[in-house]
Amino acid sequence: MAHSRCLWMLHATMIVLAGAGSAHATDATKATAPDSATSRSVDHRVPASTHYTDWPAIKSSLPADPALEARVKKIVASMTLAQKVGQMTQAEIKSITPAEVTRYYIGSVLNGGGSWPGMNKHAAIQDWLSLADRYYDASMATDAAIKVPIIWGTDAVHGDNNVLGATLFPHNIGLGAAHDPALIEAIGAATARAVRATGIEWAFAPTLAVAQDVRWGRSYESFSSEGPLVREYARAYVRGLQGDFGDHNVMATAKHFIGDGATHNGTDQGEARVGRSDMINVHGSGYFGAIQAGVLSVMASYNSWDDVADGINYGKMSGAKALLTGALKQKMGFQGFIVSDWNAIGQLPGCSNASCPQAINAGIDMVMVPDDWKAFIANTMRQVESGQIPLARIDDAVSRIVRAKLRMGLFGKRPSQRAGAGDEKLLQSPELARRAVRESLVLLKNNGNVLPLKPGANILVVGKSADSLPNQTGGWSLTWQGTDNSNADFPQGETILAGLRAADGAAHVTYSETAQGIDLQRFDAIVAVIGETPYAETMGDIVPSATLRHSDRYPEDLAVLKTVAKAHKPVVTVFVAGRPLYVNNLLNLSDAFVAAWLPGSEGGGVADVLFAAPGGSGRYNFSGTLARPWPGMPCPHAGTDGTGAARRAFAPGYGLHYPDRHELPALPTFPGVDACANTAGLSVFHTLAVPPFALYLGDDRPAHHPLAVGADLNSQIEWPASHPVLRLRTVQVNTQQDAKSVTWLGTGRFYAKSAQPRDLMPLASAHAALQFDVVIDTPATAPVQVYMGCGQGCMRTVELARTFAGYAKGSRHTVSIPLQCFMRKGADLSHIDVPFGVQASPPFSAAFADVRIVEDASAGRTDLPCASLGSP
């Protein structure tokens, strides 16, 4: 890739089919179909909704145990303050050694997404087990009167997904379509066996979000948009994971409490704007089931909750005492412990990643503080000694942690001494996963009954996801985002293409990703396997101004369908994606259309159903039905009739099966809609540059040569190292890897630019402001100018050096500059191509995150006065 000498670019008609024929869009009791002729029928009836007016008392299945409580009391009474705070601390394995576990009495470690023993992505099961033993031994080597074993937590969210060779199950969105709690319990048990075989005792699962907006990048972690199904699945999943707390079980985590699936515009870690009844009866549903099943831990959510109707803004969950203590512990009766999410405490006002008495006082019992754990321990001990945190609160937190460890039977045995430890066979459950794939598939269209395919037919397979285990497994698969993987990273996996070849015979199946140069007439049918590429939290968000149209982000999928449609052969589309999207154009080019979600490592399950392969004494059939609505319009809030029905292509409960005869008519494609109204303003940079914007580094020389960045955003590396006056790193300001840290070595500019200018006058009329989050690392001694660009030779600046000088080094601040300030300087807001730029000279270093333009109604907005933004 060519490097320039001065500039770098960083890119990083609706139809409602309710009750139509056998489609079963609303009559869910009819939408049942057997996985095979000899297997049980899947009951797709949604359990009854709840109508609580307050947080209900939930009776746990765990019996009272006076002897256990006596042990808890004795252990906690024997501990020093340092030992107690150590128990409340969870560090990342990359940042803590076994010796430090001993020294600081650490209660827990975790491996985050993309973290493995020795940072070896292909670490063997014995590598995991050996490190688990070392951490356990270290926790037993302290000078504590009663030694408390450490517990290791991991994001095992669709199988033991961090470990090479483990079976990966379909993500939760697909499991929701199966409507099968027994399957969920079996998957939980299989996951527990795999995780415990590596020496790890705690899974950060299940996710119980009731996702309402598919723009959220974690939608695939949600079972359903309907609370009752999530409640049933929560109960089953927790039972599967925790079992009877034996050697093959792990501690479960109900997450993320509460409202993570309710955020406005589906923004990750955003603000939930729902009423109290919805928060309790919809978003609380999963916790009712999990607590009933005896879940031992709950993870607090990143999001905040503003109950506008009642006039109560609870703020960020990690600091919401009324919810963590009042609702969860006191009213609902949760007896386990609450753990915070990755550096979540640092998002609370007045807190940092290493210090947050507010979170502990609110009810957080264990703090996930991956890197700053030493400072956290020191700060927390000082806060207890000064009375900021009552000792009684510390004792309650530690009692809850010790109680869970006793329940899990962690005392007395090294991880390697447990039954099944180190057994590679326990990593594998391919038949169960293949069954899950079959049950999760939803047949949306089957015009002309082109399915099932006939064995022996000559089939052309096209599309980028046919032979891609990374696309098939999605995020949280070996790596955090599911990126930087290849088929070789899943040695036990089977692609959808491989499954089709096994079902039809390799001689009858030809593969061409794009179908270019292929004689299409020699094939009996064409199978297109298309969809999304991997993503996880934050990175997967669809910004409010973008459409839900899949082909806007993946035009290659529309292109390949247009190519094969010209042959007038039957086209079967298998859509591999983490959420339902607006795909009317793709549906119209397909004779049959299958929602395969993110099926995991066992792609052969897709072929089982496409060919109606023999299963037992019968044949496999489609049995999945939608557990959430399927969009019928490119913009999620357009065309609503108040119930949402008018914007749905398919309602929850919809799903065809053999031998249904239902012809889907051509659907409207709205070709003129290429953006959605964004009442929240304009997002410029949110972890990545938001299209159409890209980020640039520039100095004063005239040549402009953009360079696309392909660096791993989960690593903090210098990029690009060769820029003459600027250095760039990816760091954290609000959440994982969400910010760009820029160091000025000479006069230079860091800015966002679009090739097509934007008209910001409507936003200016709405009293909008440019906002960004900043952490100053090296204070400036020269001017620091934030600017907007309005075409060639048009750059209007405001001076922020004095503002930045008032910020403590290392502290996070939100800067809000009214657009009127730029207008007063002569900016043409009808023609803005650079909505954000920073021009400075050394010495200066700062990290910038979440650059956006927000309207006047934005909560908590505090603008800088224009008069203060003059000369330094």
Side-chain angles (χ1 to χ4, degrees):
M1 203 174 284
H3 289 233
S4 79
R5 57 192 179 88
C6 75
L7 184 70
W8 279 256
M9 183 174 75
L10 289 79
H11 283 292
T13 262
M14 298 84 52
I15 180 166
V16 183
L17 298 172
S22 300
H24 316 310
T26 56
D27 188 0
T29 62
K30 296 179 182 176
T32 60
D35 181 53
S36 76
T38 58
S39 67
R40 90 283 173 269
S41 290
V42 181
D43 187 351
H44 289 220
R45 288 173 295 182
V46 177
S49 298
T50 58
H51 301 281
Y52 297 118
T53 58
D54 197 359
W55 301 97
I58 305 296
K59 182 174 176 57
S60 170
S61 61
L62 297 180
D65 189 339
L68 182 143
E69 294 303 322
R71 290 185 68 191
V72 170
K73 187 175 182 180
K74 179 180 179 181
I75 291 169
V76 175
S78 74
M79 298 170 78
T80 65
L81 178 60
Q83 291 162 5
K84 292 174 181 178
V85 175
Q87 281 298 306
M88 297 171 64
T89 304
Q90 185 179 60
E92 220 283 340
I93 62 171
K94 295 194 299 288
S95 71
I96 190 166
T97 65
E100 289 170 323
V101 166
T102 302
R103 179 179 176 185
Y104 292 94
Y105 312 99
I106 298 298
S108 180
V109 293
L110 82 150
N111 64 290
S115 179
W116 319 274
M119 282 309 293
N120 176 11
K121 182 178 176 181
H122 290 180
I125 189 171
Q126 288 298 332
D127 297 324
W128 292 89
L129 187 58
S130 174
L131 184 56
D133 270 349
R134 293 200 298 275
Y135 280 133
Y136 176 89
D137 292 344
S139 69
M140 293 292 99
T142 69
D143 58 5
I146 303 176
K147 304 178 195 314
V148 180
I150 197 168
I151 188 168
W152 182 342
T154 190
D155 285 288
V157 297
H158 65 132
D160 197 3
N161 46 263
N162 297 289
V163 179
L164 182 74
T167 294
L168 301 188
F169 296 95
H171 271 293
N172 288 354
I173 191 169
L175 298 180
H179 293 83
D180 187 353
L183 172 68
I184 301 311
E185 185 168 348
I187 288 173
T191 299
R193 289 192 296 271
V195 171
R196 203 62 187 266
T198 66
I200 296 174
E201 309 95 349
W202 183 9
F204 299 142
T207 297
L208 302 179
V210 188
Q212 301 297 302
D213 193 326
V214 296
R215 289 177 293 189
W216 187 35
R218 304 190 79 160
S219 292
Y220 64 80
E221 296 186 55
S222 170
F223 294 117
S224 175
S225 61
E226 300 182 1
L229 180 62
V230 176
R231 182 180 73 236
E232 295 301 308
Y233 271 25
R235 185 184 297 116
Y237 213 130
V238 170
R239 281 199 305 253
L241 287 171
Q242 293 188 168
D244 59 0
F245 305 114
D247 284 356
H248 292 300
N249 298 120
V250 295
M251 184 164 68
T253 306
K255 67 179 190 183
H256 307 84
F257 189 83
I258 188 175
D260 50 346
T263 60
H264 183 58
N265 289 326
T267 300
D268 191 48
Q269 304 182 24
E271 181 180 66
R273 302 175 186 175
V274 299
R276 176 181 173 86
S277 178
D278 276 355
M279 189 62 84
I280 294 172
N281 293 292
V282 177
H283 302 282
S285 292
Y287 299 92
F288 305 157
I291 294 172
Q292 189 177 52
V295 71
L296 294 180
S297 71
V298 167
M299 185 178 291
S301 186
Y302 282 116
N303 67 277
S304 56
W305 176 25
D306 186 2
D307 183 354
V308 178
D310 285 351
I312 303 174
N313 192 329
Y314 293 90
K316 288 284 187 178
M317 290 300 103
S318 295
K321 184 174 182 178
L323 299 171
L324 299 180
T325 298
L328 182 60
K329 292 180 177 179
Q330 293 176 349
K331 292 184 177 181
M332 295 167 68
F334 173 59
Q335 294 298 307
F337 68 89
I338 302 174
V339 62
S340 61
D341 210 332
W342 183 285
N343 282 335
I345 62 169
Q347 296 185 9
L348 297 183
C351 292
S352 70
N353 292 343
S355 176
C356 195
Q358 298 96 310
I360 296 171
N361 287 334
I364 296 293
D365 302 306
M366 181 180 287
V367 180
M368 189 185 295
V369 53
D371 301 312
D372 300 320
W373 55 270
K374 285 183 183 177
F376 167 78
I377 289 172
N379 290 331
T380 303
M381 289 182 65
R382 283 196 296 270
Q383 289 153 3
V384 175
E385 290 164 348
S386 69
Q388 282 182 275
I389 303 174
L391 183 59
R393 171 77 272 270
I394 298 294
D395 287 346
D396 174 63
V398 178
S399 295
R400 290 170 175 272
I401 294 166
V402 171
R403 180 183 298 118
K405 290 181 176 182
L406 287 169
R407 287 270 190 196
M408 285 300 304
L410 301 187
F411 288 73
K413 282 186 182 178
R414 303 174 82 209
S416 62
Q417 294 173 328
R418 304 283 176 176
D423 187 349
E424 292 188 5
K425 295 190 295 296
L426 296 180
L427 296 178
Q428 286 289 307
S429 300
E431 288 307 314
L432 178 63
R434 190 162 176 152
R435 169 191 159 194
V437 173
R438 291 192 296 264
E439 291 190 28
S440 70
L441 302 176
V442 179
L443 181 60
L444 299 180
K445 180 179 181 179
N446 193 23
N447 285 11
N449 280 28
V450 298
L451 289 176
L453 297 170
K454 295 177 176 57
N458 288 321
I459 294 174
L460 173 66
V461 181
V462 300
K464 65 177 185 288
S465 296
D467 193 31
S468 174
L469 282 163
N471 289 359
Q472 203 172 293
T473 55
W476 295 108
S477 299
L478 285 183
T479 64
W480 173 36
Q481 295 288 321
T483 52
D484 300 317
N485 289 329
S486 68
N487 284 356
D489 291 312
F490 305 93
Q492 307 298 327
E494 183 179 32
T495 65
I496 294 173
L497 174 63
L500 291 169
R501 284 174 170 159
D504 196 35
H508 297 294
V509 177
T510 301
Y511 175 60
S512 170
E513 181 174 331
T514 63
Q516 296 299 318
I518 298 291
D519 178 9
L520 302 176
Q521 295 304 318
R522 65 188 181 91
F523 297 99
D524 299 311
I526 298 165
V527 177
V529 188
I530 59 175
E532 295 186 296
T533 54
Y535 56 81
E537 55 190 312
T538 303
M539 312 293 192
D541 282 7
I542 297 174
V543 297
S545 59
T547 74
L548 296 180
R549 186 185 287 111
H550 173 76
S551 53
D552 285 355
R553 281 170 291 281
Y554 300 97
E556 69 277 9
D557 290 344
L558 178 61
V560 73
L561 281 183
K562 285 182 174 179
T563 296
V564 298
K566 295 175 184 176
H568 302 290
K569 298 285 186 176
V571 175
V572 177
T573 295
V574 177
F575 191 59
V576 177
R579 50 193 156 198
L581 292 165
Y582 177 71
V583 293
N584 284 10
N585 52 355
L586 309 182
L587 277 158
N588 290 344
L589 291 167
S590 309
D591 297 287
F593 197 97
V594 178
W597 315 109
L598 296 173
S601 60
E602 305 310 312
V606 175
D608 287 344
V609 183
L610 293 188
F611 281 93
S617 61
R619 291 187 176 275
Y620 292 119
N621 200 340
F622 285 96
S623 61
T625 60
L626 296 178
R628 63 185 64 246
W630 194 286
M633 298 191 72
C635 294
H637 298 302
T640 179
D641 62 357
T643 66
R647 61 177 184 264
R648 295 174 176 177
F650 308 102
Y654 177 88
L656 304 172
H657 54 80
Y658 309 140
D660 286 346
R661 293 190 177 275
H662 175 77
E663 296 294 307
L664 184 70
L667 304 179
T669 57
F670 304 101
V673 179
D674 57 7
C676 298
N678 177 14
T679 59
L682 179 69
S683 183
V684 177
F685 169 69
H686 186 70
T687 302
L688 300 173
V690 177
F693 301 107
L695 297 181
Y696 293 82
L697 300 176
D699 55 31
D700 291 336
R701 288 175 288 183
H704 286 206
H705 297 282
L707 172 66
V709 167
D712 179 4
L713 292 180
N714 199 30
S715 60
Q716 295 190 13
I717 61 172
E718 296 286 339
W719 186 269
S722 58
H723 192 283
V725 298
L726 296 168
R727 291 289 180 269
L728 183 77
R729 292 186 303 137
T730 298
V731 299
Q732 174 171 325
V733 165
N734 296 310
T735 187
Q736 296 120 301
Q737 313 302 312
D738 70 323
K740 299 299 179 189
S741 175
V742 186
T743 300
W744 275 259
L745 306 177
T747 301
R749 292 172 290 126
F750 168 62
Y751 60 100
K753 184 175 182 180
S754 169
Q756 296 296 323
R758 300 293 295 263
D759 182 4
L760 300 187
M761 286 303 296
L763 286 168
S765 300
H767 306 288
L770 170 65
Q771 279 191 355
F772 57 91
D773 299 333
V774 66
V775 173
I776 305 299
D777 297 315
T778 302
T781 58
V784 178
Q785 297 172 325
V786 171
Y787 66 90
M788 284 188 164
C790 38
Q792 186 68 30
C794 179
M795 186 173 84
R796 299 297 181 260
T797 66
V798 297
E799 174 58 51
L800 287 186
R802 284 188 297 185
T803 299
F804 287 168
Y807 295 164
K809 181 179 178 181
S811 63
R812 183 184 71 252
H813 296 269
T814 296
V815 178
S816 187
I817 306 169
L819 296 189
Q820 293 288 339
C821 299
F822 296 99
M823 290 183 68
R824 293 180 187 179
K825 297 293 185 80
D828 178 6
L829 292 189
S830 69
H831 193 80
I832 295 294
D833 58 351
V834 178
F836 168 78
V838 181
Q839 180 168 277
S841 301
F844 183 55
S845 177
F848 302 91
D850 199 10
V851 181
R852 67 275 189 195
I853 296 173
V854 299
E855 292 188 5
D856 186 48
S858 299
R861 176 174 148 186
T862 303
D863 292 339
L864 295 172
C866 294
S868 71
L869 304 175
S871 302

